[in-house]
Amino acid sequence: MFGYVRPQKFELLVREYDEYRGVYCSLCKELGKRYGLAARLSLNYDCTFYAVLMLSVRKDGTAAFTKGRCCVNPLKKCYYCRRGGNGDIFADACALTVILTYYKLLDNIHDSGAVKKFLYGAVYPLAARKHKKAAAGFPEFEGIVSGAMETQAKIEKSDKPGIDLCAHPTAEMISRILEVSAGKLNTGESTARIFRSMGYNLGRWIYLIDAADDLESDIASGSFNPFAVKFSLGKKSGADEISAAKKYANGVLNMSLSQIAEAADLLGLNSLGSITRNVILKGLPQMQKELLFKKEKTNVGPI
Amino acid sequence: MSDPYRILGVPPGATDDEVKTAYRELAKKYHPDKYAGSPLADLAGEKMKEINEAYDTVMKERRSRGSSGGGYAGGSTYGYSQASNFSDVRSYVMSGRVADAEQILDGTPQERRDAEWYFLKATVLYKRGWLDEAYNDFSRACSMDPGNLEYRTAFNRVAGQRSGMYGGDDPNARRYGGCDGCDVCTSLCVANMCCNCCGNGYGC
């Protein structure tokens, strides 16, 4: 579920790249400060995008950056986002990272085999402790995410659920998260509405690309996958059946993407908006192309 | 009203042609047809109105004799003139009461579910973001009543979205060289650079 929402690096301007890294590094630093060193390991691109999006709709001036050193490798120089007024955005992004990572870990423990179960189980107590702290400080986020996980589990147990129904809990989750965050930023009613629609389709996109990406492994392990259900794919299905399902998935993803782009066009974005637009118009389609149609995934490494 | 040049994204020194081009790009971006059926259609309409006003102001000021006109009309262009079996559903959809519309639709018995029913169901699903089922129902409405322009328009829009016309990845499109940036985006980048060359800092 993590790592799908990211910019297309070679289409970023150098300024934009530095700013993106700046937000990334700031989030890492804040995670360490708020939830301890180990929490830094849960840093991901999706929550970085959340921070970029929130920073790019701020009306009161744009984010300022300052030079510093990497907190993990002091030999490396990097940029940090100045805190002035952005502290709340990073606090929200950190809480989201910790809460989402916890539920992802729970899901992994539930889904994987004995060896991996043991490994995930080993980090569980730590993640649970951090999660408790984040959940206490941000009960709204916790409520949204835990609710979505419950609904998701129920839907996956039902008889032959459709693609839209399967994607609904994640879609609604991101939608609510963005709407709540817009409310905190006081950006006005229309931004909240745009975020609601954009979040719904972004969540949908994330759920569906994850499902399409995991299609083969889910079929092999017999795990639930909405595309396998729709096309009745099983262990005996041929490669052409799977690639037909992926092509179909691409069409469904394109539809969500066009809605995300429409919503983003309506947002009043400041100078960080070009990164937001890069993620939506280039990063996400690139991810679809890499994951659905290429045998070797060349552009999904670290940014 | 705020600075019309800022709204159009061109410096005040831009030529008439540049203003026109910028206006056309924006009008394409926020065109009511593109947002038809979207839950954000009204916001796009407001934006379109703002752009039209900015363009008219600029052109009026430049010609100082009457309005240039020629702006795209804002607002959605649904034609509901034909007799409808579901006029109540349509009025709910129009007024944004999607849940009520859906309740009536779901209560319609199977034998009364005609092309219009599928069209309206798809419209409701589309508004809710259930895009896959919306696509299937639009397609069904079209095949049940192939001559209906309203259904056809809606179907073409979602089919276009699906193929990656408005963002996304089209696996059938072959691109030149190693660069994947779609042509439209690349040319926009170039256009943006040209804008920046003017040095007035009106980054689009």
Side-chain angles (χ1 to χ4, degrees):
Chain A
M1 195 171 133
F2 281 143
Y4 295 116
V5 184
R6 53 161 80 187
Q8 191 176 19
K9 185 183 164 185
F10 44 79
E11 291 278 357
L12 284 173
L13 298 178
V14 177
R15 163 184 77 80
E16 293 165 351
Y17 178 72
D18 284 345
E19 286 170 349
Y20 183 78
R21 291 292 312 187
V23 175
Y24 186 77
C25 293
S26 301
L27 187 56
C28 179
K29 194 165 142 191
E30 293 277 328
L31 267 172
K33 214 183 267 172
R34 288 164 199 271
Y35 297 98
L37 277 177
R40 286 210 180 114
L41 294 173
S42 59
L43 178 65
N44 59 67
Y45 291 125
D46 308 70
C47 291
T48 309
F49 175 68
Y50 168 84
V52 169
L53 181 64
M54 290 304 147
L55 289 170
S56 63
V57 292
R58 277 193 52 179
K59 293 222 162 56
D60 43 344
T62 53
F65 290 86
T66 156
K67 269 187 185 169
R69 284 179 188 279
C70 174
C71 33
V72 182
N73 175 5
L75 293 178
K76 217 165 96 184
K77 286 190 176 162
C78 64
Y79 288 93
Y80 286 112
C81 196
R82 282 229 179 92
R83 282 191 78 181
N86 296 323
D88 291 345
I89 291 177
F90 283 104
D92 283 357
C94 286
L96 262 184
T97 311
V98 171
I99 293 173
L100 289 173
T101 307
Y102 170 77
Y103 282 102
K104 163 95 179 146
L105 185 70
L106 269 191
D107 195 44
N108 284 351
I109 292 176
H110 185 258
D111 285 350
S112 42
V115 180
K116 277 197 170 172
K117 211 171 233 172
F118 177 75
L119 289 176
Y120 288 131
V123 280
Y124 177 78
L126 182 67
R129 212 163 56 231
K130 307 294 175 200
H131 168 250
K132 207 171 161 191
K133 187 178 174 195
F138 299 82
E140 221 165 352
F141 283 160
E142 166 63 16
I144 295 169
V145 179
S146 65
M149 297 296 150
E150 270 170 43
T151 331
Q152 186 77 54
K154 263 183 224 150
I155 288 172
E156 293 190 2
K157 280 192 195 100
S158 64
D159 182 42
K160 291 208 166 185
I163 292 175
D164 291 331
L165 181 62
C166 291
H168 183 72
T170 314
E172 193 61 27
M173 175 177 94
I174 306 287
S175 172
R176 292 278 304 128
I177 288 174
L178 290 192
E179 195 187 13
V180 166
S181 309
K184 285 188 189 175
L185 286 179
N186 279 329
T187 43
E189 177 59 27
S190 58
T191 308
R193 265 187 64 203
I194 297 168
F195 267 173
R196 225 189 124 58
S197 168
M198 187 170 161
Y200 189 90
N201 285 290
L202 185 62
R204 219 180 115 83
W205 188 91
I206 294 172
Y207 178 82
L208 293 174
I209 190 100
D210 189 35
D213 187 26
D214 292 344
L215 187 57
E216 280 106 336
S217 61
D218 281 347
I219 290 173
S221 66
S223 308
F224 175 85
N225 189 298
F227 292 108
V229 172
K230 179 165 176 97
F231 293 96
S232 319
L233 299 173
K235 283 179 186 159
K236 285 178 192 145
S237 307
D240 49 334
E241 277 177 274
I242 290 178
S243 75
K246 286 200 166 180
K247 205 166 173 197
Y248 187 87
N250 189 53
V252 181
L253 287 165
N254 279 346
M255 286 181 83
S256 293
L257 207 50
S258 71
Q259 307 264 315
I260 302 172
E262 276 176 15
D265 277 346
L266 292 171
L267 281 175
L269 298 172
N270 60 33
S271 70
L272 280 183
S274 52
I275 307 177
T276 303
R277 273 193 292 270
N278 174 299
V279 173
I280 294 167
L281 300 176
K282 293 173 185 149
L284 302 186
Q286 175 72 14
M287 197 46 81
Q288 275 174 234
K289 188 208 239 352
E290 296 284 339
L291 298 181
L292 301 179
F293 300 112
K294 281 197 182 164
K295 288 213 170 60
E296 284 174 37
K297 297 172 175 118
T298 45
N299 285 311
V300 292
I303 294 174
Chain B
M1 196 173 83
S2 47
D3 181 8
Y5 286 100
R6 194 165 268 282
I7 292 170
L8 294 174
V10 289
T15 64
D16 283 4
D17 280 345
E18 280 166 352
V19 173
K20 252 178 221 165
T21 315
Y23 168 71
R24 277 200 201 113
E25 283 296 329
L26 287 171
K28 219 188 274 171
K29 196 164 159 187
Y30 297 109
H31 199 277
D33 284 354
K34 199 175 127 193
Y35 283 90
S38 157
L40 303 175
D42 55 325
L43 294 175
E46 281 167 24
K47 195 97 185 163
M48 194 70 225
K49 203 173 142 221
E50 192 183 79
I51 294 161
N52 279 336
E53 281 170 6
Y55 180 70
D56 282 345
T57 313
V58 169
M59 282 323 204
K60 219 182 244 172
E61 175 196 298
R62 290 188 171 208
R63 293 198 189 142
S64 66
R65 51 180 166 87
S67 149
S68 68
Y72 289 95
S76 182
T77 48
Y78 274 123
Y80 287 149
S81 50
Q82 80 250 54
S84 168
N85 295 326
F86 296 97
S87 49
D88 47 346
V89 178
R90 281 184 187 267
S91 66
Y92 281 145
V93 171
M94 291 284 268
S95 56
R97 292 167 63 184
V98 177
D100 293 328
E102 190 156 33
Q103 205 174 8
I104 300 178
L105 286 172
D106 289 343
T108 310
Q110 201 69 41
E111 62 275 11
R112 280 191 54 223
R113 297 187 176 181
D114 54 3
E116 191 186 12
W117 186 89
Y118 280 101
F119 167 75
L120 289 170
K121 178 82 185 169
T123 309
V124 167
L125 286 167
Y126 185 83
K127 274 198 198 295
R128 274 180 37 199
W130 285 43
L131 305 174
D132 187 44
E133 284 172 26
Y135 174 85
N136 293 333
D137 283 350
F138 275 132
S139 143
R140 179 125 185 213
C142 273
S143 62
M144 284 166 90
D145 185 358
N148 189 304
L149 198 65
E150 187 185 14
Y151 309 164
R152 177 66 54 191
T153 316
F155 176 69
N156 287 346
R157 189 178 63 242
V158 291
Q161 289 178 353
R162 204 185 181 92
S163 69
M165 226 162 91
Y166 305 106
D169 180 45
D170 180 1
N172 298 323
R174 285 281 145 258
R175 278 115 188 187
Y176 311 100
C179 181
D180 292 312
C182 61
D183 296 345
V184 183
C185 300
T186 319
S187 43
L188 271 178
C189 289
V190 174
N192 193 11
M193 280 180 214
C194 296
C195 286
N196 292 342
C197 287
C198 311
N200 286 319
Y202 279 85
C204 306

